[in-house]
Amino acid sequence: MDSGRDGLRRLLLDAGALEPAWVPAFDAVPRAGFLPGVMWPHDMATGSSRTVDKARDPDAWQRYADSDCPIVTQWDDGAHNGPEPGRSFSSSSSMPSLVFSMLADLDVREGQRVLEIGTGTGWNAALLAHRLGAGNVVTVDVDGVVAAAARAALRRAGLPVRVLHRDGYLGFPERAPYDRIIVTCGVRDIPYAWVGQTAPGGIILVPWGTYYGPAEATARLVVAEDGRSASGPFTRPVGFMRMRAQRLVRRQHAAYVPPGAMDRADTSVTSVPAADLDGFVPGLLVPDVTHVADREREGGRRAVWLYGLSDTSWAAAVFRDGRKEAKVYQSGPRRLWDEAEAAHEWWEAHGRPGFARFGLTVTDRGNSEVWLDDPGCVRTVFNRL
């Protein structure tokens, strides 16, 4: 763990996350001023959270506040009570390294106006306000309690940003156009309203992914001169809490695979490694599908499932340690494993590209297109209406 704010500053500068232009804001706006007395630092390696109470252990609380650690500040959309962690985190303070890396991608300039979607603790808005002036920053959050706490923290810091309790999916057209929009929750559907509320040449920075899995990457979209579209590359892998209206509500497994369905399914074998089916890129190549990997069972047996989101098509591959091939089962109108095999073949043929070779375009027709940029060509690999 880092030794105080000086140690955190050195860590962020050495890592290249904290640009010199943001150092005055880092120094003037401590993260600690935006954290609650009871908070839950999250261990990324283990996926576990612990309770830290400022009243009981102020030294530990301060160490975590000054560390490069994500901190959960709300569980279960505010329904959680008590000091122990809840079931699902619903608001947080992101790792400072991620906060400043995204602010670097946002590339703000003096006098610009910024809309933030997802206020959280208010620290990100405070950093922007210190750099640009509080009057140039508007932030919105769908949770009224979260918005009120952030508003109070911003006023205590002497940075009276306008904090709104409203659905960020709609943006805030009353103050448009903005030079920059930064989104601090994960989205699967980018509303055209954000494009329409950003000035031509402006930037929208948004964590985006598919329902295939939790993996996301920030898309840095530049609004076209005619204002009718925004396009740009993915800049870094991230993981954010999902925008509440875009959380996936999937059918139960039994709705796809009722008793006896495995016996009636079409079968085949595959040599595609299970690891190649996980992550951000497969979700780009196999649309409208969600992916679930079972835990390894006795004997090294592990099943990987694909479920269709537009119907009840499903597929499963059963992998075993030491075997190069897995048995495949699939059923339904879509042949999901065949689609995954074809996507894997395409991915191999294009040099196994990672997220950084893909980009995203949002148009006024309501489309989201993901493309692969090869030298001399652009190919659309995914289009969602």
Side-chain angles (χ1 to χ4, degrees):
M1 190 174 295
D2 309 308
S3 55
R5 294 189 69 224
D6 288 342
L8 179 59
R9 185 197 302 107
R10 287 194 299 271
L11 184 151
L12 298 177
L13 286 169
D14 291 346
L18 178 59
E19 293 187 339
W22 282 104
V23 170
F26 174 90
D27 289 340
V29 186
R31 183 195 197 192
F34 296 83
L35 295 172
V38 178
M39 62 187 190
W40 298 268
H42 184 71
D43 188 321
M44 299 290 287
T46 64
S48 62
S49 301
R50 60 166 293 185
T51 304
V52 179
D53 187 336
K54 188 176 184 179
R56 292 177 177 270
D57 192 344
D59 291 339
W61 188 95
Q62 190 66 52
R63 286 197 303 273
Y64 277 107
D66 293 335
S67 73
D68 191 29
C69 172
I71 296 173
V72 179
T73 55
Q74 186 198 67
W75 295 91
D76 305 326
D77 296 343
H80 164 266
N81 289 307
E84 295 305 311
R87 297 180 59 188
S88 177
F89 35 74
S90 50
S91 192
S92 71
S93 177
S94 297
M95 298 171 63
S97 57
L98 176 58
V99 169
F100 285 101
S101 293
M102 289 182 63
L103 288 174
D105 285 345
L106 197 63
D107 191 26
V108 295
R109 310 294 173 85
E110 184 178 352
Q112 289 185 332
R113 294 154 55 93
V114 178
L115 172 65
E116 179 188 40
I117 309 295
T119 306
T121 65
W123 185 46
N124 198 64
L127 294 167
L128 285 163
H130 184 273
R131 179 95 183 262
L132 302 174
N136 286 325
V137 180
V138 178
T139 181
V140 303
D141 202 286
V142 72
D143 190 305
V145 173
V146 169
R151 186 182 298 113
L154 283 157
R155 291 193 178 278
R156 287 196 302 270
L159 298 165
V161 170
R162 188 169 187 181
V163 181
L164 301 170
H165 171 212
R166 60 179 293 156
D167 187 351
Y169 190 85
L170 304 174
F172 186 55
E174 293 88 336
R175 290 285 298 275
Y178 303 97
D179 300 289
R180 301 287 189 267
I181 292 181
I182 182 169
V183 183
T184 61
C185 55
V187 302
R188 301 298 180 261
D189 174 33
I190 297 177
Y192 180 71
W194 296 350
V195 179
Q197 293 173 31
T198 305
I203 293 170
I204 303 169
L205 188 68
V206 53
W208 184 91
T210 68
Y211 286 114
Y212 187 86
E216 298 170 334
T218 44
R220 187 179 188 272
L221 310 178
V222 178
V223 176
E225 289 303 314
D226 63 7
R228 298 179 60 184
S229 64
S231 187
F234 294 108
T235 59
R236 66 186 71 252
V238 294
F240 276 85
M241 297 175 195
R242 193 83 48 84
M243 178 175 277
R244 294 187 186 183
Q246 296 188 21
R247 293 170 178 167
L248 176 63
V249 180
R250 191 179 64 231
R251 300 177 181 93
Q252 295 295 315
H253 176 79
Y256 291 94
V257 191
M262 295 286 283
D263 297 331
R264 298 188 298 271
D266 297 334
T267 60
S268 59
V269 295
T270 183
S271 58
V272 175
D276 286 357
L277 299 169
D278 196 13
F280 179 74
V281 172
L284 306 181
L285 306 181
V286 190
D288 296 322
V289 169
T290 188
H291 160 274
V292 177
D294 288 347
R295 293 181 179 178
E296 189 172 301
R297 299 185 180 182
E298 187 176 350
R301 181 180 181 275
R302 182 187 184 212
V304 173
W305 296 86
L306 302 177
Y307 301 100
L309 297 178
S310 57
D311 56 33
T312 54
S313 299
W314 62 272
V318 180
F319 295 87
R320 297 180 186 275
D321 286 349
R323 298 186 185 181
K324 293 184 178 181
E325 292 186 333
K327 187 171 184 179
V328 172
Y329 304 81
Q330 59 182 330
S331 180
R334 292 177 64 185
R335 316 313 278 170
L336 296 184
W337 201 267
D338 294 348
E339 292 183 29
E341 290 261 13
H344 187 268
E345 182 179 349
W346 182 92
W347 181 63
E348 290 272 10
H350 286 77
R352 300 170 67 92
F355 75 91
R357 285 184 56 198
F358 289 90
L360 180 69
T361 297
V362 179
T363 74
D364 59 358
R365 299 186 301 277
N367 292 3
S368 294
E369 297 179 340
V370 173
W371 37 264
L372 175 72
D373 192 354
D374 276 329
C377 76
V378 174
R379 174 176 176 176
T380 297
V381 297
F382 173 63
N383 181 59
R384 177 168 54 211
L385 296 175

PDB file of all heavy atoms in Angstrom, residues 248-279:
ATOM      1  N   LEU A 248     -27.869  -6.423 -17.159  1.00  0.00           N
ATOM      2  CA  LEU A 248     -28.422  -7.567 -17.878  1.00  0.00           C
ATOM      3  C   LEU A 248     -29.335  -8.379 -16.964  1.00  0.00           C
ATOM      4  O   LEU A 248     -28.934  -8.793 -15.874  1.00  0.00           O
ATOM      5  CB  LEU A 248     -27.293  -8.452 -18.403  1.00  0.00           C
ATOM      6  CG  LEU A 248     -27.731  -9.748 -19.093  1.00  0.00           C
ATOM      7  CD1 LEU A 248     -28.552  -9.432 -20.337  1.00  0.00           C
ATOM      8  CD2 LEU A 248     -26.517 -10.604 -19.445  1.00  0.00           C
ATOM      9  N   VAL A 249     -30.561  -8.587 -17.422  1.00  0.00           N
ATOM     10  CA  VAL A 249     -31.473  -9.508 -16.756  1.00  0.00           C
ATOM     11  C   VAL A 249     -31.636 -10.700 -17.701  1.00  0.00           C
ATOM     12  O   VAL A 249     -32.372 -10.637 -18.679  1.00  0.00           O
ATOM     13  CB  VAL A 249     -32.833  -8.856 -16.452  1.00  0.00           C
ATOM     14  CG1 VAL A 249     -33.758  -9.853 -15.767  1.00  0.00           C
ATOM     15  CG2 VAL A 249     -32.652  -7.608 -15.594  1.00  0.00           C
ATOM     16  N   ARG A 250     -30.907 -11.762 -17.395  1.00  0.00           N
ATOM     17  CA  ARG A 250     -30.875 -12.922 -18.292  1.00  0.00           C
ATOM     18  C   ARG A 250     -31.898 -13.966 -17.861  1.00  0.00           C
ATOM     19  O   ARG A 250     -32.192 -14.110 -16.678  1.00  0.00           O
ATOM     20  CB  ARG A 250     -29.474 -13.536 -18.276  1.00  0.00           C
ATOM     21  CG  ARG A 250     -29.232 -14.578 -19.358  1.00  0.00           C
ATOM     22  CD  ARG A 250     -27.812 -15.128 -19.286  1.00  0.00           C
ATOM     23  NE  ARG A 250     -27.577 -15.832 -18.039  1.00  0.00           N
ATOM     24  CZ  ARG A 250     -26.563 -15.624 -17.236  1.00  0.00           C
ATOM     25  NH1 ARG A 250     -25.672 -14.708 -17.512  1.00  0.00           N
ATOM     26  NH2 ARG A 250     -26.421 -16.318 -16.123  1.00  0.00           N
ATOM     27  N   ARG A 251     -32.418 -14.698 -18.838  1.00  0.00           N
ATOM     28  CA  ARG A 251     -33.296 -15.816 -18.504  1.00  0.00           C
ATOM     29  C   ARG A 251     -32.542 -16.833 -17.652  1.00  0.00           C
ATOM     30  O   ARG A 251     -31.334 -16.965 -17.731  1.00  0.00           O
ATOM     31  CB  ARG A 251     -33.782 -16.517 -19.777  1.00  0.00           C
ATOM     32  CG  ARG A 251     -34.578 -15.653 -20.745  1.00  0.00           C
ATOM     33  CD  ARG A 251     -34.926 -16.472 -21.984  1.00  0.00           C
ATOM     34  NE  ARG A 251     -35.675 -15.719 -22.973  1.00  0.00           N
ATOM     35  CZ  ARG A 251     -35.144 -15.068 -23.989  1.00  0.00           C
ATOM     36  NH1 ARG A 251     -33.820 -15.058 -24.140  1.00  0.00           N
ATOM     37  NH2 ARG A 251     -35.890 -14.424 -24.847  1.00  0.00           N
ATOM     38  N   GLN A 252     -33.274 -17.568 -16.860  1.00  0.00           N
ATOM     39  CA  GLN A 252     -32.677 -18.638 -16.078  1.00  0.00           C
ATOM     40  C   GLN A 252     -32.154 -19.737 -16.995  1.00  0.00           C
ATOM     41  O   GLN A 252     -32.646 -19.936 -18.107  1.00  0.00           O
ATOM     42  CB  GLN A 252     -33.703 -19.218 -15.103  1.00  0.00           C
ATOM     43  CG  GLN A 252     -34.166 -18.244 -14.031  1.00  0.00           C
ATOM     44  CD  GLN A 252     -33.041 -17.855 -13.089  1.00  0.00           C
ATOM     45  OE1 GLN A 252     -32.267 -18.698 -12.628  1.00  0.00           O
ATOM     46  NE2 GLN A 252     -32.925 -16.558 -12.809  1.00  0.00           N
ATOM     47  N   HIS A 253     -31.151 -20.460 -16.505  1.00  0.00           N
ATOM     48  CA  HIS A 253     -30.547 -21.543 -17.299  1.00  0.00           C
ATOM     49  C   HIS A 253     -31.601 -22.534 -17.788  1.00  0.00           C
ATOM     50  O   HIS A 253     -31.568 -22.983 -18.944  1.00  0.00           O
ATOM     51  CB  HIS A 253     -29.497 -22.260 -16.445  1.00  0.00           C
ATOM     52  CG  HIS A 253     -28.876 -23.445 -17.101  1.00  0.00           C
ATOM     53  ND1 HIS A 253     -27.876 -23.350 -18.046  1.00  0.00           N
ATOM     54  CD2 HIS A 253     -29.129 -24.778 -16.958  1.00  0.00           C
ATOM     55  CE1 HIS A 253     -27.530 -24.562 -18.453  1.00  0.00           C
ATOM     56  NE2 HIS A 253     -28.274 -25.447 -17.803  1.00  0.00           N
ATOM     57  N   ALA A 254     -32.579 -22.844 -16.949  1.00  0.00           N
ATOM     58  CA  ALA A 254     -33.592 -23.836 -17.320  1.00  0.00           C
ATOM     59  C   ALA A 254     -34.474 -23.374 -18.471  1.00  0.00           C
ATOM     60  O   ALA A 254     -35.051 -24.202 -19.183  1.00  0.00           O
ATOM     61  CB  ALA A 254     -34.457 -24.169 -16.106  1.00  0.00           C
ATOM     62  N   ALA A 255     -34.572 -22.063 -18.688  1.00  0.00           N
ATOM     63  CA  ALA A 255     -35.345 -21.575 -19.826  1.00  0.00           C
ATOM     64  C   ALA A 255     -34.647 -21.899 -21.141  1.00  0.00           C
ATOM     65  O   ALA A 255     -35.301 -22.024 -22.188  1.00  0.00           O
ATOM     66  CB  ALA A 255     -35.564 -20.063 -19.701  1.00  0.00           C
ATOM     67  N   TYR A 256     -33.342 -22.033 -21.088  1.00  0.00           N
ATOM     68  CA  TYR A 256     -32.565 -22.423 -22.269  1.00  0.00           C
ATOM     69  C   TYR A 256     -32.424 -23.950 -22.360  1.00  0.00           C
ATOM     70  O   TYR A 256     -32.570 -24.531 -23.437  1.00  0.00           O
ATOM     71  CB  TYR A 256     -31.163 -21.808 -22.203  1.00  0.00           C
ATOM     72  CG  TYR A 256     -31.095 -20.317 -22.377  1.00  0.00           C
ATOM     73  CD1 TYR A 256     -31.090 -19.457 -21.279  1.00  0.00           C
ATOM     74  CD2 TYR A 256     -30.999 -19.752 -23.640  1.00  0.00           C
ATOM     75  CE1 TYR A 256     -31.010 -18.088 -21.432  1.00  0.00           C
ATOM     76  CE2 TYR A 256     -30.917 -18.372 -23.806  1.00  0.00           C
ATOM     77  CZ  TYR A 256     -30.920 -17.551 -22.699  1.00  0.00           C
ATOM     78  OH  TYR A 256     -30.833 -16.195 -22.869  1.00  0.00           O
ATOM     79  N   VAL A 257     -32.067 -24.526 -21.232  1.00  0.00           N
ATOM     80  CA  VAL A 257     -31.697 -25.951 -21.219  1.00  0.00           C
ATOM     81  C   VAL A 257     -32.613 -26.686 -20.236  1.00  0.00           C
ATOM     82  O   VAL A 257     -32.227 -26.963 -19.093  1.00  0.00           O
ATOM     83  CB  VAL A 257     -30.217 -26.129 -20.830  1.00  0.00           C
ATOM     84  CG1 VAL A 257     -29.767 -27.566 -21.092  1.00  0.00           C
ATOM     85  CG2 VAL A 257     -29.325 -25.153 -21.584  1.00  0.00           C
ATOM     86  N   PRO A 258     -33.851 -26.990 -20.648  1.00  0.00           N
ATOM     87  CA  PRO A 258     -34.745 -27.741 -19.761  1.00  0.00           C
ATOM     88  C   PRO A 258     -34.261 -29.177 -19.604  1.00  0.00           C
ATOM     89  O   PRO A 258     -33.364 -29.623 -20.339  1.00  0.00           O
ATOM     90  CB  PRO A 258     -36.087 -27.670 -20.492  1.00  0.00           C
ATOM     91  CG  PRO A 258     -35.730 -27.476 -21.928  1.00  0.00           C
ATOM     92  CD  PRO A 258     -34.478 -26.660 -21.938  1.00  0.00           C
ATOM     93  N   PRO A 259     -34.811 -29.922 -18.671  1.00  0.00           N
ATOM     94  CA  PRO A 259     -34.387 -31.318 -18.488  1.00  0.00           C
ATOM     95  C   PRO A 259     -34.456 -32.110 -19.791  1.00  0.00           C
ATOM     96  O   PRO A 259     -35.434 -32.030 -20.528  1.00  0.00           O
ATOM     97  CB  PRO A 259     -35.398 -31.850 -17.457  1.00  0.00           C
ATOM     98  CG  PRO A 259     -35.796 -30.636 -16.679  1.00  0.00           C
ATOM     99  CD  PRO A 259     -35.814 -29.516 -17.666  1.00  0.00           C
ATOM    100  N   GLY A 260     -33.385 -32.841 -20.065  1.00  0.00           N
ATOM    101  CA  GLY A 260     -33.316 -33.662 -21.266  1.00  0.00           C
ATOM    102  C   GLY A 260     -32.799 -32.946 -22.493  1.00  0.00           C
ATOM    103  O   GLY A 260     -32.561 -33.580 -23.535  1.00  0.00           O
ATOM    104  N   ALA A 261     -32.599 -31.603 -22.431  1.00  0.00           N
ATOM    105  CA  ALA A 261     -32.187 -30.843 -23.614  1.00  0.00           C
ATOM    106  C   ALA A 261     -30.796 -31.234 -24.091  1.00  0.00           C
ATOM    107  O   ALA A 261     -30.522 -31.219 -25.296  1.00  0.00           O
ATOM    108  CB  ALA A 261     -32.245 -29.346 -23.333  1.00  0.00           C
ATOM    109  N   MET A 262     -29.897 -31.573 -23.178  1.00  0.00           N
ATOM    110  CA  MET A 262     -28.544 -31.968 -23.577  1.00  0.00           C
ATOM    111  C   MET A 262     -28.590 -33.241 -24.432  1.00  0.00           C
ATOM    112  O   MET A 262     -27.821 -33.378 -25.396  1.00  0.00           O
ATOM    113  CB  MET A 262     -27.673 -32.188 -22.346  1.00  0.00           C
ATOM    114  CG  MET A 262     -27.418 -30.955 -21.512  1.00  0.00           C
ATOM    115  SD  MET A 262     -26.249 -29.785 -22.236  1.00  0.00           S
ATOM    116  CE  MET A 262     -24.699 -30.589 -21.913  1.00  0.00           C
ATOM    117  N   ASP A 263     -29.502 -34.145 -24.109  1.00  0.00           N
ATOM    118  CA  ASP A 263     -29.600 -35.402 -24.867  1.00  0.00           C
ATOM    119  C   ASP A 263     -30.122 -35.167 -26.275  1.00  0.00           C
ATOM    120  O   ASP A 263     -29.814 -35.931 -27.200  1.00  0.00           O
ATOM    121  CB  ASP A 263     -30.516 -36.385 -24.140  1.00  0.00           C
ATOM    122  CG  ASP A 263     -29.973 -36.788 -22.780  1.00  0.00           C
ATOM    123  OD1 ASP A 263     -28.734 -36.788 -22.628  1.00  0.00           O
ATOM    124  OD2 ASP A 263     -30.778 -37.078 -21.871  1.00  0.00           O
ATOM    125  N   ARG A 264     -30.910 -34.102 -26.463  1.00  0.00           N
ATOM    126  CA  ARG A 264     -31.495 -33.824 -27.780  1.00  0.00           C
ATOM    127  C   ARG A 264     -30.657 -32.848 -28.598  1.00  0.00           C
ATOM    128  O   ARG A 264     -30.964 -32.585 -29.760  1.00  0.00           O
ATOM    129  CB  ARG A 264     -32.905 -33.253 -27.598  1.00  0.00           C
ATOM    130  CG  ARG A 264     -33.875 -34.212 -26.909  1.00  0.00           C
ATOM    131  CD  ARG A 264     -35.296 -33.656 -26.931  1.00  0.00           C
ATOM    132  NE  ARG A 264     -35.421 -32.398 -26.210  1.00  0.00           N
ATOM    133  CZ  ARG A 264     -35.695 -32.310 -24.912  1.00  0.00           C
ATOM    134  NH1 ARG A 264     -35.827 -33.409 -24.172  1.00  0.00           N
ATOM    135  NH2 ARG A 264     -35.819 -31.124 -24.335  1.00  0.00           N
ATOM    136  N   ALA A 265     -29.635 -32.262 -28.019  1.00  0.00           N
ATOM    137  CA  ALA A 265     -28.850 -31.230 -28.699  1.00  0.00           C
ATOM    138  C   ALA A 265     -27.974 -31.819 -29.794  1.00  0.00           C
ATOM    139  O   ALA A 265     -27.625 -33.001 -29.780  1.00  0.00           O
ATOM    140  CB  ALA A 265     -27.983 -30.492 -27.681  1.00  0.00           C
ATOM    141  N   ASP A 266     -27.632 -30.970 -30.758  1.00  0.00           N
ATOM    142  CA  ASP A 266     -26.640 -31.343 -31.760  1.00  0.00           C
ATOM    143  C   ASP A 266     -25.265 -31.368 -31.104  1.00  0.00           C
ATOM    144  O   ASP A 266     -24.964 -30.522 -30.254  1.00  0.00           O
ATOM    145  CB  ASP A 266     -26.637 -30.334 -32.910  1.00  0.00           C
ATOM    146  CG  ASP A 266     -27.954 -30.307 -33.667  1.00  0.00           C
ATOM    147  OD1 ASP A 266     -28.651 -31.333 -33.659  1.00  0.00           O
ATOM    148  OD2 ASP A 266     -28.281 -29.253 -34.238  1.00  0.00           O
ATOM    149  N   THR A 267     -24.436 -32.299 -31.482  1.00  0.00           N
ATOM    150  CA  THR A 267     -23.117 -32.424 -30.864  1.00  0.00           C
ATOM    151  C   THR A 267     -22.021 -32.363 -31.920  1.00  0.00           C
ATOM    152  O   THR A 267     -22.225 -32.688 -33.090  1.00  0.00           O
ATOM    153  CB  THR A 267     -22.995 -33.740 -30.077  1.00  0.00           C
ATOM    154  OG1 THR A 267     -23.195 -34.834 -30.978  1.00  0.00           O
ATOM    155  CG2 THR A 267     -24.011 -33.794 -28.949  1.00  0.00           C
ATOM    156  N   SER A 268     -20.856 -31.931 -31.481  1.00  0.00           N
ATOM    157  CA  SER A 268     -19.672 -31.856 -32.329  1.00  0.00           C
ATOM    158  C   SER A 268     -18.477 -31.739 -31.399  1.00  0.00           C
ATOM    159  O   SER A 268     -18.607 -31.861 -30.175  1.00  0.00           O
ATOM    160  CB  SER A 268     -19.749 -30.655 -33.278  1.00  0.00           C
ATOM    161  OG  SER A 268     -19.870 -29.438 -32.553  1.00  0.00           O
ATOM    162  N   VAL A 269     -17.298 -31.502 -31.953  1.00  0.00           N
ATOM    163  CA  VAL A 269     -16.114 -31.241 -31.142  1.00  0.00           C
ATOM    164  C   VAL A 269     -15.486 -29.933 -31.600  1.00  0.00           C
ATOM    165  O   VAL A 269     -15.680 -29.497 -32.739  1.00  0.00           O
ATOM    166  CB  VAL A 269     -15.077 -32.390 -31.231  1.00  0.00           C
ATOM    167  CG1 VAL A 269     -15.652 -33.660 -30.640  1.00  0.00           C
ATOM    168  CG2 VAL A 269     -14.634 -32.604 -32.664  1.00  0.00           C
ATOM    169  N   THR A 270     -14.739 -29.308 -30.694  1.00  0.00           N
ATOM    170  CA  THR A 270     -14.055 -28.055 -31.013  1.00  0.00           C
ATOM    171  C   THR A 270     -12.631 -28.110 -30.502  1.00  0.00           C
ATOM    172  O   THR A 270     -12.354 -28.752 -29.475  1.00  0.00           O
ATOM    173  CB  THR A 270     -14.783 -26.846 -30.397  1.00  0.00           C
ATOM    174  OG1 THR A 270     -14.130 -25.635 -30.797  1.00  0.00           O
ATOM    175  CG2 THR A 270     -14.781 -26.903 -28.874  1.00  0.00           C
ATOM    176  N   SER A 271     -11.737 -27.420 -31.211  1.00  0.00           N
ATOM    177  CA  SER A 271     -10.358 -27.285 -30.757  1.00  0.00           C
ATOM    178  C   SER A 271     -10.050 -25.852 -30.327  1.00  0.00           C
ATOM    179  O   SER A 271      -8.910 -25.519 -30.042  1.00  0.00           O
ATOM    180  CB  SER A 271      -9.387 -27.710 -31.871  1.00  0.00           C
ATOM    181  OG  SER A 271      -9.594 -26.926 -33.033  1.00  0.00           O
ATOM    182  N   VAL A 272     -11.089 -24.998 -30.287  1.00  0.00           N
ATOM    183  CA  VAL A 272     -10.897 -23.618 -29.830  1.00  0.00           C
ATOM    184  C   VAL A 272     -10.627 -23.637 -28.330  1.00  0.00           C
ATOM    185  O   VAL A 272     -11.419 -24.181 -27.561  1.00  0.00           O
ATOM    186  CB  VAL A 272     -12.137 -22.763 -30.128  1.00  0.00           C
ATOM    187  CG1 VAL A 272     -11.980 -21.368 -29.532  1.00  0.00           C
ATOM    188  CG2 VAL A 272     -12.383 -22.676 -31.629  1.00  0.00           C
ATOM    189  N   PRO A 273      -9.521 -23.060 -27.859  1.00  0.00           N
ATOM    190  CA  PRO A 273      -9.233 -23.053 -26.414  1.00  0.00           C
ATOM    191  C   PRO A 273     -10.269 -22.248 -25.631  1.00  0.00           C
ATOM    192  O   PRO A 273     -10.753 -21.215 -26.109  1.00  0.00           O
ATOM    193  CB  PRO A 273      -7.855 -22.394 -26.329  1.00  0.00           C
ATOM    194  CG  PRO A 273      -7.273 -22.497 -27.698  1.00  0.00           C
ATOM    195  CD  PRO A 273      -8.436 -22.438 -28.638  1.00  0.00           C
ATOM    196  N   ALA A 274     -10.586 -22.714 -24.447  1.00  0.00           N
ATOM    197  CA  ALA A 274     -11.557 -21.998 -23.611  1.00  0.00           C
ATOM    198  C   ALA A 274     -11.115 -20.565 -23.342  1.00  0.00           C
ATOM    199  O   ALA A 274     -11.940 -19.644 -23.293  1.00  0.00           O
ATOM    200  CB  ALA A 274     -11.754 -22.747 -22.298  1.00  0.00           C
ATOM    201  N   ALA A 275      -9.804 -20.344 -23.170  1.00  0.00           N
ATOM    202  CA  ALA A 275      -9.299 -19.000 -22.868  1.00  0.00           C
ATOM    203  C   ALA A 275      -9.572 -18.018 -23.994  1.00  0.00           C
ATOM    204  O   ALA A 275      -9.731 -16.813 -23.748  1.00  0.00           O
ATOM    205  CB  ALA A 275      -7.802 -19.059 -22.579  1.00  0.00           C
ATOM    206  N   ASP A 276      -9.637 -18.507 -25.240  1.00  0.00           N
ATOM    207  CA  ASP A 276      -9.893 -17.627 -26.377  1.00  0.00           C
ATOM    208  C   ASP A 276     -11.338 -17.175 -26.455  1.00  0.00           C
ATOM    209  O   ASP A 276     -11.671 -16.293 -27.260  1.00  0.00           O
ATOM    210  CB  ASP A 276      -9.511 -18.324 -27.688  1.00  0.00           C
ATOM    211  CG  ASP A 276      -8.008 -18.415 -27.893  1.00  0.00           C
ATOM    212  OD1 ASP A 276      -7.265 -17.892 -27.042  1.00  0.00           O
ATOM    213  OD2 ASP A 276      -7.583 -19.012 -28.896  1.00  0.00           O
ATOM    214  N   LEU A 277     -12.196 -17.772 -25.658  1.00  0.00           N
ATOM    215  CA  LEU A 277     -13.607 -17.418 -25.672  1.00  0.00           C
ATOM    216  C   LEU A 277     -13.957 -16.401 -24.603  1.00  0.00           C
ATOM    217  O   LEU A 277     -15.106 -15.963 -24.508  1.00  0.00           O
ATOM    218  CB  LEU A 277     -14.460 -18.677 -25.455  1.00  0.00           C
ATOM    219  CG  LEU A 277     -14.301 -19.758 -26.514  1.00  0.00           C
ATOM    220  CD1 LEU A 277     -14.964 -21.042 -26.054  1.00  0.00           C
ATOM    221  CD2 LEU A 277     -14.890 -19.302 -27.840  1.00  0.00           C
ATOM    222  N   ASP A 278     -12.983 -16.011 -23.791  1.00  0.00           N
ATOM    223  CA  ASP A 278     -13.223 -15.109 -22.667  1.00  0.00           C
ATOM    224  C   ASP A 278     -12.714 -13.717 -23.007  1.00  0.00           C
ATOM    225  O   ASP A 278     -11.787 -13.558 -23.800  1.00  0.00           O
ATOM    226  CB  ASP A 278     -12.510 -15.646 -21.423  1.00  0.00           C
ATOM    227  CG  ASP A 278     -13.013 -15.001 -20.150  1.00  0.00           C
ATOM    228  OD1 ASP A 278     -14.057 -14.326 -20.199  1.00  0.00           O
ATOM    229  OD2 ASP A 278     -12.364 -15.169 -19.105  1.00  0.00           O
ATOM    230  N   GLY A 279     -13.316 -12.681 -22.420  1.00  0.00           N
ATOM    231  CA  GLY A 279     -12.771 -11.342 -22.539  1.00  0.00           C
ATOM    232  C   GLY A 279     -13.582 -10.416 -23.419  1.00  0.00           C
ATOM    233  O   GLY A 279     -14.713 -10.703 -23.825  1.00  0.00           O
TER     234      GLY A 279
END
